[in-house]
Amino acid sequence: MVLESEKIVVVGDAPTCTGFRLAGINDVFPLEGKEAAAKIDELLSLPDVGIIIMNEKILGQLDSKLKKRIDKIAKPVVIGVPDKSGPMEQVDSLKNLVKKALGFELIK
């Protein structure tokens, strides 16, 4: 559950960031490659970030050290979303991400 004081942050390509900005999310970072990885590394350490949304492509390009860090933490929840090229198959489902964050399933 994201508390009112926790932010939803988006890191991705320009079209993805624009879409989330239009949906009302203010903390968007149109970055790719190493710049996106550096921003994600920074965001993982901030106590007021509850959810990080990023393009699946960026998530797939992160180095193994950062991927392991994401896998080990429960908060913030990191969610990969498809970009304009379509979905990738290796990303966890939202149900699994919520289970990881909360420690139990909301819906069985």
Side-chain angles (χ1 to χ4, degrees), residues 18-80:
T18 299
F20 280 99
R21 189 175 283 130
L22 289 170
I25 296 177
N26 297 320
D27 296 305
V28 297
F29 300 94
L31 303 169
E32 295 186 61
K34 292 182 181 183
E35 293 173 334
K39 178 53 84 175
I40 292 162
D41 189 38
E42 174 190 336
L43 293 169
L44 290 173
S45 301
L46 299 177
D48 62 339
V49 175
I51 297 174
I52 300 172
I53 300 170
M54 72 179 83
N55 291 112
E56 291 176 341
K57 182 179 174 183
I58 293 172
L59 188 57
Q61 293 173 344
L62 297 177
D63 66 39
S64 61
K65 182 179 176 184
L66 191 51
K67 284 181 183 178
K68 286 179 185 176
R69 183 174 173 202
I70 290 169
D71 287 341
K72 287 182 181 182
I73 61 172
K75 183 181 162 255
V77 175
V78 177
I79 301 172

Side-chain angles (χ1 to χ4, degrees), residues 3 7-8 15 28 55 62 75-76 82-83 86 100 104-106:
L3 302 175
K7 297 178 186 177
I8 298 174
V28 297
N55 291 112
L62 297 177
K75 183 181 162 255
D83 63 7
K100 177 182 167 187
F104 60 88
E105 287 186 43
L106 288 177

